Amino acid sequence: MILSIIDTINEWIEPFRSWIMDNHGNPFLWAGLVLLGLIIFTFTYNALHKD
């Protein structure tokens, strides 16, 4: 059961992984990923620290 879930996740991630490997030298890609990470962190932090 769990192994099939992991296999399904790997099938979904493979196209994204190959796209990242093809574009790993693009600085705009990395800037966008860092920005996305900061946005997710901000939303999570604000949700957990409501006054």
Side-chain angles (χ1 to χ4, degrees):
M1 173 71 179
I2 292 179
L3 187 57
S4 66
I5 294 171
I6 293 173
D7 288 337
T8 304
I9 292 172
N10 282 335
E11 288 174 9
W12 290 348
I13 290 177
E14 187 58 36
F16 180 70
R17 180 188 300 161
S18 64
W19 183 77
I20 291 290
M21 294 303 288
D22 292 340
N23 295 300
H24 72 277
N26 186 350
F28 293 112
L29 170 68
W30 294 112
L33 290 175
V34 168
L35 184 62
L36 179 64
L38 287 173
I39 290 170
I40 291 171
F41 174 78
T42 302
F43 282 130
T44 305
Y45 184 83
N46 289 336
L48 293 174
H49 288 90
K50 286 187 176 180
D51 291 328

